[in-house]
Amino acid sequence: MRLSNSKPIGVPLLLASLLSAVAWTSPLSAQIAFEVEAVAGQPFGVGRITFLSSPEMMPQPLGVDGIGLTEKDGRVLYPAIDSPAAGKVVRELLDANTPLTTGGPVRQEVGGLLRGILDRPPRTTVYFLFRGNEPLHVTLQLRKNVELAVTPQPAAGEGVGRSRRGGAAAHRRLLQLWWMQYAKAPTLLAPKPDYPPVVDNYLTSTLARRLNLRLPDARQTESADERLRHEIGFNLGTESIRMSMMQDRILGLNNLAEPADQTMPKAVQPEVWDIPEPAADVKIEPMALRVPAECFYVRFGSFANFLWLQDTLARWGGDAQNLIALRGLDQGMSARMEKQLVLKQTILSRMLGDTVIADVSIIGTDLFFREGACYGILFQARNNLALSTSLNQQRSERLGQSGVMEQKLTIGGRKVSYLTSPDGRVRSYYVTDGDYHFVTTSKALVARFLATASGGDSLGATREFRHARSIMPISRNDTIWLYASDAFFRNITGPEYRIEMARRLQTTADIELVQLARLAAVGEGTPGDTLDQLKSAGLLPPDFGPLPDGSRVVMQGDDVHEDHRGWHGAYVPILDVPVGNVTKAEAAEYRKFADYYRANWGHIDPIIAGVKRTAMKDNREQVVVDVLMSPFAPQHFKRLKQSLGEADDKQLAPIAGDAAALELVLSNQRIFAGLRDVGQPSGASPLGALALNAALPGNHPLRWNGGMARLRDLLVGYVGTTGELGVLQILNLGIPPQSDAEGYAASRFGGGWRRQYGPFTVFSFQHETLETVVPQLRFEPSARPAQIRLRVGDLTNVGITPALNELGYSRTRETSLGNLRLLDDLNQQLHVPAAKCLETAESLLDAKLICPLGGKYVLRDAAGSPTTWTSTALDTAAAGDGKAQAPKGYQTPPLNWFRGLDLDATMTEKTVSAHAEVLMQMPAKK
């Protein structure tokens, strides 16, 4: 049974449900009845299998998502499953103390009636397409395999046009039902998978085009041009853009067939403002004078600091993302960089690093490390001979292995060693100039580095950089210091960079499109060895061809790459790819982007960031982060000033017992808030209640209406202000203006309190909270003026911790299940043999699938049961049942490392800055 999204459950619906329930009274142990319907047709027939299901029948660990369907001769294609899921949420709420089950015998009787209905096994339907007219010998893969014989009805013929089971009308009806399920967008509660949805995006778009079916609005991605226009240059490598480009390519919505006969459009011209003149004696590190002005600059100051970053990331699984949520994909970026540049840390380099290397930095013109970034590592040597010997030894060792060749080049009058492999996985230029040793992926960047030797056009020589060093000086001794200059942003928003970025993203989409088309060809049993064959089969769009610059996708055996930029994940850097002329569409799109940029940004302010770490006892570290945008564009200041007040040099003193506290200085008031604890509302799961409320209208009888009493149990904290109530006036609704002798006033609706105390007006759901907190309110001097302050304490021993840990475990478990769903899709949708699904997925995503729970993905094969992928870390509870609990000792990020935060942010007419002090519990060294 499904809950209506627009109407309350009424008597007719209840009666219909009861009648259905009577027909479902067969015990689960009895023979299962399968209702089968199939109609042949072109290019595919369509069918469905409907049966009464139960959790005991579902395959593990994916549950209903893991139901599979195969046919003896591989004729069944593209299955889609329809199984009501709302009953699980409703059943959970019915078991709790909801208004439906409490408050009188009538409501209890209705609740019992609904429980009886929901306890009946739901009807699950598996829709599918098939080829041919002959009988199908299918295997329905539940927890145990079920073999069925299906005889398709003809699509046309004498008398069948009037038959419910045959004819064109029946075919159309079943096809629409199949498409409704196949193209159905994920529900509101469905977790977003951590892997790119390339398989799903390709199949839904391709089948919509082949079968002339309309994609649902929720499935239609925003056009690639729109996404590109709304993305600033450094954020262009996003998955959503690639998915849009693939869909546009499949549906013929791009303009890639236009000739490149237009000259390059003019670059966007950001507004110019005066940069403050720094002091004449401001100190500049020598290395900055060897960095091209348009490069981002990440300076470590010493080799030891460089090692600290590498070691810290390694302790967190090689990815900073693991500090927030354990990921399910390992793209191995550190290992890729080491391999591509032929730079690997050795025991000897660790021992001698600081005696050989004076300074080290990472520089580059973009951040597209997944596709093929233009970057390099710059060393300043203390001992030139020792450093060059170490680097050349590594290069010689790599040359001694297969698949790499060396070229001796001359660039800018200097000798350059260039190591390369045919697939671009090794691309390393090495050049020395005085005490500087530069290893990079880009030939053009070598030339730019050498050009800085004369002192001109370097980052360190700019007035802007000297200003940055005057406000965040070298004397701070930062562990990491990052600078993104005005020239950097101008470069990546310029037409040459922007248009080439769009072309290479389209290249990535095209390569993935061809890879998926080849898999689909094998699954459908049709030839797919050439692009023409794939187009003839409808697996590639009929106009699939080269990009405007003439580059095209090439298929060589099992390999797919692009003849101009190379292999996905190791493209030739943007600086090394001449753009040339552009198409009318490309020129027009850049002008639209320029208009958007001027209207919404006007200018991207230079970014300065410093990170300093201090080791502490008990394997803890304090990490202090300062981030500034300076100089700050005047138009940006005007926008922020409308909301924020003047930076204040006083702050509220910490309140004993607060888990977190926030303070905001607005244009007309100061707001402060504190969270002391979070509890579980009695009865219903808060997540389930919120999910149900989101799906039902406000007057629906099944909505969770816990009211203020429930909210009181959930949130233990306070919010207050000084002076006028301002935006907090809404909290005063229902509270009388008069207060008692101690300043208290209670809401007439129950659950809410206000207390006035000197200049403070404070609201809370708990009288005892106001009684404890308000007398402690006082101001004290602050270390820095600020408009925003945030303090968060150690969350490992507060009441909210178990709930957060369970929520984190549930999300991490869903990440692991998401990878299994991808493997299942490859097997079910593209007919990839189960044993090859993991290898195929990792090749397609150019990343390793890892179980974030610490397990290993393994193939489970038992007699009489389907062959399925699972993880050794997953239990046997049904996926998504909401009852899987974190194992003993499990700690979810960031609870496993976070021990405190003190943050403040300030905005003035010249600078926006943030200062954060984070206390981290480091994992044990491996």
Side-chain angles (χ1 to χ4, degrees):
M1 183 183 70
R2 290 192 172 192
L3 295 177
S4 169
N5 288 328
S6 58
K7 297 180 181 179
I9 295 178
V11 175
L13 179 58
L14 286 175
L15 290 177
S17 300
L18 282 173
L19 290 175
S20 300
V22 171
W24 297 351
T25 53
S26 300
L28 293 176
S29 58
Q31 181 72 27
I32 302 172
F34 293 91
E35 180 183 337
V36 180
E37 183 178 5
V39 181
Q42 293 297 326
F44 301 112
V46 59
R48 65 177 177 179
I49 301 171
T50 302
F51 58 98
L52 302 181
S53 61
S54 67
E56 293 76 16
M57 298 168 59
M58 296 298 104
Q60 298 301 319
L62 291 180
V64 68
D65 290 345
I67 294 176
L69 187 68
T70 63
E71 202 273 337
K72 183 184 68 173
D73 298 318
R75 291 167 51 207
V76 165
L77 302 164
Y78 310 123
I81 301 169
D82 178 24
S83 182
K88 292 188 295 184
V89 177
V90 178
R91 188 65 174 83
E92 178 184 351
L93 294 177
L94 291 174
D95 287 339
N97 296 323
T98 65
L100 186 63
T101 57
T102 58
V106 175
R107 289 191 176 187
Q108 293 179 16
E109 184 176 350
V110 172
L113 182 63
L114 287 176
R115 284 193 191 94
I117 295 171
L118 294 172
D119 282 341
R120 303 296 181 180
R123 292 173 63 87
T124 295
T125 300
V126 180
Y127 295 92
F128 59 91
L129 303 183
F130 62 90
R131 292 178 286 109
N133 303 315
E134 299 79 12
L136 300 166
H137 302 278
V138 303
T139 299
L140 184 63
Q141 297 173 330
L142 305 175
R143 187 167 297 190
K144 295 292 184 181
N145 289 329
V146 178
E147 295 184 357
L148 298 170
V150 180
T151 302
Q153 298 297 316
E158 183 177 353
V160 300
R162 296 185 298 273
S163 171
R164 179 181 179 277
R165 296 282 179 177
H171 184 273
R172 285 194 300 270
R173 173 178 55 83
L174 280 178
L175 188 65
Q176 288 298 327
L177 290 172
W178 165 80
W179 184 242
M180 186 183 304
Q181 295 303 320
Y182 196 89
K184 182 171 61 177
T187 62
L188 177 66
L189 303 180
K192 182 181 183 299
D194 285 353
Y195 58 87
V198 289
V199 175
D200 180 61
N201 187 54
Y202 165 75
L203 288 175
T204 53
S205 301
T206 297
L207 289 169
R209 176 180 51 78
R210 293 174 69 186
L211 302 179
N212 196 27
L213 297 168
R214 184 182 182 278
L215 277 175
D217 291 343
R219 282 282 188 179
Q220 296 178 27
T221 62
E222 185 180 11
S223 75
D225 289 344
E226 286 296 321
R227 286 192 176 274
L228 283 170
R229 194 177 310 140
H230 289 75
E231 296 277 352
I232 301 304
F234 53 80
N235 201 28
L236 272 176
T238 57
E239 169 191 307
S240 59
I241 292 177
R242 297 198 308 274
M243 296 302 100
S244 294
M245 287 183 161
M246 179 184 289
Q247 189 174 98
D248 287 354
R249 180 69 130 161
I250 293 171
L251 301 178
L253 301 178
N254 46 35
N255 297 290
L256 299 180
E258 289 185 355
D261 56 3
Q262 305 290 304
T263 58
M264 189 69 61
K266 292 183 179 180
V268 60
Q269 294 297 325
E271 299 179 22
V272 179
W273 69 94
D274 291 333
I275 298 173
E277 180 62 46
D281 60 349
V282 62
K283 291 186 177 180
I284 302 295
E285 65 270 28
M287 175 169 279
L289 297 171
R290 301 309 312 270
V291 178
E294 70 275 16
C295 285
F296 68 80
Y297 176 47
V298 183
R299 181 194 180 230
F300 297 91
S302 70
F303 191 68
N305 289 341
F306 183 64
L307 289 179
W308 171 80
L309 177 63
Q310 290 185 314
D311 292 344
T312 299
L313 290 178
R315 292 168 75 176
W316 293 108
D319 194 333
Q321 176 186 325
N322 286 330
L323 295 175
I324 307 301
L326 296 175
R327 74 219 187 288
L329 293 178
D330 180 11
Q331 295 177 346
M333 295 310 303
S334 295
R336 290 190 191 203
M337 292 172 67
E338 286 184 353
K339 179 180 179 179
Q340 189 167 49
L341 294 177
V342 193
L343 280 175
K344 189 173 183 178
Q345 303 304 324
T346 64
I347 296 178
L348 183 61
S349 68
R350 287 178 171 271
M351 293 174 58
L352 302 179
D354 279 330
T355 64
V356 174
I357 298 170
D359 203 350
V360 59
S361 66
I362 300 175
I363 68 173
T365 57
D366 61 64
L367 304 175
F368 302 132
F369 293 103
R370 185 175 183 270
E371 287 79 16
C374 182
Y375 75 101
I377 299 182
L378 180 60
F379 300 95
Q380 182 183 8
R382 295 187 194 276
N383 186 323
N384 267 318
L385 179 60
L387 181 55
S388 62
T389 299
S390 175
L391 296 178
N392 283 319
Q393 181 179 352
Q394 289 195 48
R395 299 173 77 82
S396 296
E397 291 175 354
R398 184 64 185 89
L399 272 173
Q401 303 170 16
S402 61
V404 175
M405 63 175 293
E406 182 179 29
Q407 299 179 48
K408 297 293 186 178
L409 308 175
T410 299
I411 303 174
R414 307 292 300 186
K415 293 182 179 179
V416 179
S417 167
Y418 175 43
L419 297 185
T420 182
S421 62
D423 62 0
R425 302 294 177 180
V426 174
R427 180 180 291 110
S428 176
Y429 295 86
Y430 172 40
V431 62
T432 63
D433 190 27
D435 292 336
Y436 294 94
H437 299 243
F438 189 39
V439 185
T440 177
T441 60
S442 169
K443 181 179 180 179
L445 203 53
V446 170
R448 288 290 295 116
F449 159 71
L450 293 174
T452 63
S454 60
D457 204 22
S458 73
L459 185 64
T462 63
R463 181 176 178 178
E464 177 191 314
F465 185 85
R466 291 187 293 117
H467 165 71
R469 270 310 188 188
S470 70
I471 60 178
M472 197 176 284
I474 297 176
S475 58
R476 288 167 44 98
N477 292 321
D478 288 305
T479 307
I480 304 173
W481 196 81
L482 179 147
Y483 188 67
S485 66
D486 176 61
F488 169 73
F489 291 117
R490 285 176 182 265
N491 182 52
I492 62 174
T493 57
E496 293 89 351
Y497 228 91
R498 186 94 183 166
I499 290 171
E500 170 53 26
M501 284 190 288
R503 288 178 178 178
R504 66 181 42 220
L505 287 172
Q506 184 65 61
T507 292
T508 300
D510 283 358
I511 289 175
E512 291 175 338
L513 181 55
V514 172
Q515 290 173 324
L516 288 162
R518 296 181 71 179
L519 292 174
V522 174
E524 291 191 15
T526 187
D529 295 327
T530 67
L531 295 179
D532 287 339
Q533 289 176 335
L534 293 174
K535 288 193 285 187
S536 296
L539 300 173
L540 286 179
D543 59 351
F544 186 84
L547 295 184
D549 61 357
S551 60
R552 64 182 67 234
V553 174
V554 176
M555 296 170 55
Q556 292 180 343
D558 294 333
D559 175 70
V560 181
H561 66 278
E562 196 243 57
D563 65 350
H564 193 46
R565 293 169 181 83
W567 279 254
H568 179 216
Y571 292 150
V572 176
I574 290 180
L575 280 188
D576 295 353
V577 178
V579 178
N581 287 341
V582 301
T583 67
K584 288 182 179 179
E586 288 174 325
E589 182 52 41
Y590 182 78
R591 285 191 289 269
K592 290 178 183 177
F593 164 75
D595 291 341
Y596 175 86
Y597 182 88
R598 281 189 294 265
N600 293 274
W601 287 84
H603 194 281
I604 301 181
D605 307 292
I607 297 175
I608 317 165
V611 179
K612 188 171 183 177
R613 49 83 58 161
T614 302
M616 305 178 72
K617 63 179 182 179
D618 299 327
N619 203 24
R620 291 190 175 188
E621 288 193 352
Q622 183 189 51
V623 178
V624 179
V625 181
D626 286 288
V627 180
L628 289 86
M629 297 180 74
S630 180
F632 191 50
Q635 66 269 29
H636 297 165
F637 171 74
K638 292 177 182 177
R639 295 171 186 170
L640 289 175
K641 192 175 182 180
Q642 295 174 0
S643 301
L644 296 178
E646 296 294 329
D648 200 342
D649 60 0
K650 62 181 180 180
Q651 63 182 7
L652 283 173
I655 303 297
D658 279 1
L662 174 67
E663 192 173 347
L664 302 174
V665 179
L666 303 180
S667 57
N668 57 357
Q669 67 178 140
R670 179 192 297 265
I671 292 178
F672 55 90
L675 181 64
R676 300 178 67 76
D677 206 347
V678 175
Q680 291 279 359
S682 57
S685 158
L687 293 180
L690 291 175
L692 188 64
N693 281 358
L696 298 176
N699 61 348
H700 202 290
L702 286 186
R703 281 183 62 88
W704 183 74
N705 295 311
M708 289 295 182
R710 297 285 177 86
L711 200 55
R712 167 192 166 91
D713 296 336
L714 182 63
L715 295 176
V716 182
Y718 59 91
V719 59
T721 184
T722 57
E724 299 295 328
L725 290 182
V727 297
L728 298 187
Q729 183 64 46
I730 189 173
L731 300 178
N732 207 38
L733 296 177
I735 301 179
Q738 300 81 13
S739 302
D740 64 18
E742 296 183 350
Y744 292 101
S747 170
R748 293 190 297 269
F749 306 121
W753 290 86
R754 182 193 68 218
R755 188 178 186 186
Q756 293 173 314
Y757 188 90
F760 305 105
T761 302
V762 190
F763 298 88
S764 177
F765 290 119
Q766 301 86 23
H767 182 281
E768 57 271 23
T769 296
L770 296 179
E771 186 177 20
T772 302
V773 168
V774 171
Q776 299 184 58
L777 292 173
R778 63 181 178 83
F779 289 105
E780 64 180 15
S782 60
R784 291 163 300 277
Q787 289 113 331
I788 302 173
R789 303 182 192 279
L790 174 65
R791 288 189 298 269
V792 182
D794 188 347
L795 300 178
T796 54
N797 294 305
V798 296
I800 190 177
T801 301
L804 289 178
N805 198 50
E806 289 295 336
L807 184 62
Y809 173 77
S810 177
R811 180 65 188 91
T812 303
R813 188 172 184 268
E814 277 298 329
T815 299
S816 182
L817 291 170
N819 284 343
L820 295 179
R821 291 185 182 100
L822 173 63
L823 298 177
D824 185 70
D825 278 351
L826 288 171
N827 177 249
Q828 285 295 306
Q829 300 297 326
L830 296 173
H831 287 198
V832 176
K836 293 186 177 181
C837 283
L838 183 61
E839 175 188 352
T840 302
E842 292 181 341
S843 174
L844 186 62
L845 301 180
D846 195 23
K848 293 288 185 181
L849 267 65
I850 57 175
C851 176
L853 296 174
K856 182 179 180 181
Y857 291 123
V858 295
L859 199 59
R860 183 169 55 197
D861 191 2
S865 298
T867 301
T868 57
W869 283 93
T870 188
S871 168
T872 55
L874 289 171
D875 54 38
T876 57
D881 64 1
K883 298 180 181 179
Q885 294 184 347
K888 185 177 181 180
Y890 176 86
Q891 271 195 316
T892 187
L895 294 177
N896 58 349
W897 64 266
F898 181 85
R899 298 298 178 266
L901 166 69
D902 196 340
L903 176 146
D904 58 64
T906 308
M907 184 272 300
T908 69
E909 294 187 30
K910 297 180 179 180
T911 303
V912 167
S913 64
H915 174 89
E917 299 178 6
V918 183
L919 186 61
M920 302 178 65
Q921 180 68 57
M922 304 300 291
K925 292 184 178 180
K926 297 180 179 180

